[in-house]
Amino acid sequence: MVHSPSPDIDVPDVSVHEYLFGGLDPAALDDAALIDGTSGAVTTYRQLLGQVDRFAGALAARGLGVGDVIAVLCPNVPAFATVFHGILRAGATATTINSLYTPEEIAAQLEDAGARWLVTVTPLLPGASAAADRLGIPAEQVVVLDGAPGHPSLADLLGEGRTAPDVSFDPATHVAVLPYSSGTTGLPKGVMLTHRNLVANVAQCRATIGLAEGDRVLAVLPFFHIYGMTVLLNFALRQRAALVTMPRFDLAEFLRIVSEHRATWLFVAPPIAVALAKHPMVDEFDLSSVKVVFSGAAPLDGALAELVASRLGCTVCQGYGMTETSPVTHVIPVDRTDLDRSSIGVLLPSTEARIVDPESGDDVQVPDDGTASAPGELLIRGPQVMAGYLNRPDATADMLDPDGWLHTGDVATVTADGVFRIVDRLKELIKYKGYQVAPAVLEAVLLGHPAIADAAVIGTLDADGQEVPKAFVVVQAGQSLDEESVMSFVAEHVAPHEKVRVVEFIEQVPKSASGKILRKDLRAREAAARG
Ligand code: 4UV
């Protein structure tokens, strides 16, 4: 077992709101908490707290609080923080929805999470309304932040001028958020993260990462995903940094915002690091304010990290984690300049790890000569580990041992000085630009095509070394199909990040005796074809 090199920390027994904002220094009240990167509009900490209280009060006036789930379908705009922290302040649970989702996917999450209220914005209203209609959720329960006829707006709710309710719950067990993750297998599931999980992870990040008050953090990673939620919306705000929001990634706009707002920290996923390393446009902007580029959500190539560091004259760090661990478990702290950038660094405080041979179930030996251990499945234990999957005791039991060890489905190595490296993935999950893509979702869509007899989906690498979904397709006898038509069929049914981007026709999908797709065989075939 590997322990964090840092001393354990105390996790305060308080709500997320109390932990983030309870001790706010009055001198910081008029500092910028959020800056709208598009318009430049500033929300101070004082304004944010006032809005959070009034939003929580408006929810309470509608009878919403402990036991209710409220969905948020919204890009990164400053009001996301008001809504998110307002929901938690009211004692309700927030389920954040990927803003690229199709109406079917939105409806599935609303239904599974038991959400009867939804907060969105005009550009996403068509999908939100279609999903709400399907479930019989009335327009009065679909809040449209920027206003739409028949729907309450943020201004309406805040304009009621209510105060935050007194709520009582146990932070150790009360579910604060329900983000969705497909975990190691199957369809997306609601990940129950308690107030304690989220408080712990912010406290662990504070003790390790090195982001400080006064930093300006570019917030392009979506707040709906656990990386943006914890690291930006919770951790950066707790550090009293300013979040500069961007609703969607566009390289020119990203570079303009970084340069105009003098951003000091950029939290990114690897595809943005690729652009920072390679795109000619980067030279046209003054990025001298950037101190740190921090990458996570998918593997970062070491040589690419070096290119970014030398081009921008900054430090490049990497973090690792998963929705089921709130998410952060490993980081390269800013001051650990000795660590290889392609590693995921060291364990956060109060976090333990094991690396287990998937065949034998034994823990691998860690050599004491400084070399890496044999690879094995990474297991994690700590206060940031989820309470379980909502209404899925079987899936929870598959992933979480009774003694608290969470099976990540990732394959890692570790050295005697506690530096980890992710080297492979056992689970089905595909990461496209850091977003989750569940093969099971795509396989179900493919099987809905009348000319497809069978299909399996795995991740493969594109020319930039980034993961993309690839479908292996068996065509029905007597039918014919081409790659393009398979890809456009899938594209009609899924969100843009879930599109199949490579197709190969095969005779038969390799399966085990019990009928499970042998993804390992497909991956080996893919690796052999790449050479
Ligand atoms: O559940 P999820 O979508 O969660 C994430 C979390 C991203 C994080 C977490 C902590 C950080 O400090 C940070 O910078 C980013 O993406 O997907 C979890 C899976 O994504 C892969 C791995 O397969 C996880 O099980 N993954 C996440 N980070 C890395 C990674 C990484 N640095 N290297 C390789 N794979």
Side-chain angles (χ1 to χ4, degrees):
M1 189 196 303
V2 185
H3 290 271
S4 167
S6 318
D8 281 357
I9 52 160
D10 282 331
V11 180
D13 191 25
V14 295
S15 69
V16 170
H17 186 273
E18 178 61 25
Y19 182 67
L20 294 192
F21 304 118
L24 188 76
D25 179 352
L29 276 170
D30 293 315
D31 291 348
L34 294 128
I35 301 168
D36 185 323
T38 314
S39 70
V42 172
T43 307
T44 64
Y45 276 91
R46 185 192 304 279
Q47 289 166 330
L48 174 64
L49 288 185
Q51 290 172 12
V52 166
D53 277 1
R54 279 181 284 149
F55 193 77
L59 295 179
R62 286 158 179 77
L64 296 167
V66 175
D68 294 301
V69 179
I70 301 176
V72 185
L73 175 73
C74 183
N76 283 15
V77 289
F80 195 117
T82 301
V83 169
F84 179 81
H85 288 299
I87 293 170
L88 269 56
R89 177 82 175 91
T93 297
T95 189
T96 51
I97 303 181
N98 187 327
S99 38
L100 301 172
Y101 266 5
T102 62
E104 292 74 23
E105 289 171 318
I106 299 169
Q109 185 168 333
L110 290 173
E111 187 166 31
D112 190 76
R116 299 291 303 164
W117 282 75
L118 172 61
V119 181
T120 191
V121 290
T122 306
L124 302 181
L125 186 56
S129 290
D133 287 348
R134 238 171 236 233
L135 300 175
I137 296 174
E140 309 83 75
Q141 290 176 205
V142 179
V143 177
V144 180
L145 293 176
D146 47 336
H151 296 274
S153 69
L154 184 65
D156 295 337
L157 298 182
L158 299 184
E160 292 172 1
R162 298 185 192 271
T163 51
D166 280 331
V167 284
S168 118
F169 53 78
D170 178 0
T173 55
H174 185 49
V175 177
V177 295
L178 270 177
Y180 272 63
S181 164
S182 62
T184 50
T185 182
L187 301 177
K189 296 170 270 293
V191 179
M192 297 191 288
L193 299 177
T194 63
H195 280 258
R196 179 180 168 79
N197 289 148
L198 298 186
V199 168
N201 210 219
V202 173
Q204 292 168 315
C205 289
R206 297 189 73 206
T208 319
I209 294 183
L211 175 79
E213 184 172 354
D215 273 314
R216 286 183 165 229
V217 177
L218 194 83
V220 66
L221 294 175
F223 294 145
F224 65 73
H225 180 250
I226 194 68
Y227 183 8
M229 189 191 295
T230 290
V231 175
L232 302 173
L233 218 42
N234 292 348
F235 166 57
L237 289 179
R238 179 61 189 84
Q239 297 306 76
R240 314 304 178 221
L243 286 179
V244 186
T245 61
M246 252 195 99
R248 76 195 64 78
F249 181 72
D250 167 84
L251 183 61
E253 180 68 352
F254 174 87
L255 297 169
R256 179 192 72 75
I257 291 175
V258 172
S259 123
E260 208 161 281
H261 293 280
R262 310 291 299 153
T264 56
W265 279 65
L266 313 181
F267 286 96
V268 301
I272 301 184
V274 172
L276 288 174
K278 298 188 175 171
H279 204 288
M281 200 195 286
V282 172
D283 293 327
E284 294 166 23
F285 292 84
D286 172 8
L287 305 181
S288 58
S289 58
V290 177
K291 296 187 297 191
V292 182
V293 172
F294 188 103
S295 173
L300 178 69
D301 179 74
L304 188 83
E306 294 302 333
L307 276 176
V308 174
S310 61
R311 193 173 193 194
L312 269 59
C314 69
T315 303
V316 175
C317 292
Q318 184 167 189
Y320 162 87
M322 55 199 298
T323 310
E324 290 81 351
T325 56
S326 298
V328 195
T329 63
H330 293 73
V331 292
I332 300 179
V334 160
D335 55 4
R336 290 293 304 269
T337 47
D338 57 311
L339 297 184
D340 179 353
R341 307 290 110 177
S342 66
S343 78
I344 55 165
V346 294
L347 283 164
L348 293 191
S350 301
T351 307
E352 300 166 309
R354 289 166 54 198
I355 295 184
V356 172
D357 182 325
E359 303 296 324
S360 67
D362 296 335
D363 288 71
V364 301
Q365 296 297 316
V366 183
D368 50 19
D369 61 359
T371 60
S373 70
E377 187 181 8
L378 176 65
L379 273 54
I380 298 288
R381 188 161 68 177
Q384 70 273 54
V385 170
M386 67 169 178
Y389 291 119
L390 179 72
N391 301 328
R392 302 282 205 290
D394 292 352
T396 304
D398 282 348
M399 191 159 208
L400 203 50
D401 290 348
D403 51 1
W405 287 105
L406 178 121
H407 295 248
T408 63
D410 290 311
V411 180
T413 63
V414 64
T415 58
D417 49 2
V419 179
F420 288 76
R421 187 179 292 276
I422 301 294
V423 295
D424 200 358
R425 206 183 280 143
L426 291 171
K427 57 188 168 189
E428 296 172 2
L429 178 69
I430 300 168
K431 280 315 213 42
Y432 177 71
K433 298 194 170 171
Y435 288 109
Q436 287 203 5
V437 178
V441 169
L442 299 180
E443 286 156 6
V445 170
L446 287 161
L447 292 176
H449 190 297
I452 293 181
D454 204 356
V457 175
I458 62 165
T460 188
L461 297 181
D462 70 6
D464 281 326
Q466 303 296 310
E467 202 177 7
V468 294
K470 167 168 182 175
F472 290 88
V473 171
V474 181
V475 181
Q476 293 278 17
Q479 307 257 10
S480 73
L481 260 183
D482 60 26
E483 285 97 342
E484 272 311 315
S485 61
V486 173
M487 288 193 271
S488 53
F489 175 77
V490 175
E492 280 165 26
H493 291 86
V494 299
H497 66 286
E498 295 172 307
K499 285 183 194 171
V500 164
R501 287 164 202 272
V502 187
V503 175
E504 183 178 335
F505 294 103
I506 53 175
E507 293 296 312
Q508 199 177 11
V509 172
K511 293 202 176 146
S512 68
S514 62
K516 273 186 115 179
I517 296 170
L518 291 172
R519 291 174 206 281
K520 226 168 37 165
D521 291 7
L522 290 172
R523 284 212 286 257
R525 175 190 174 116
E526 200 52 19
R530 266 203 305 273

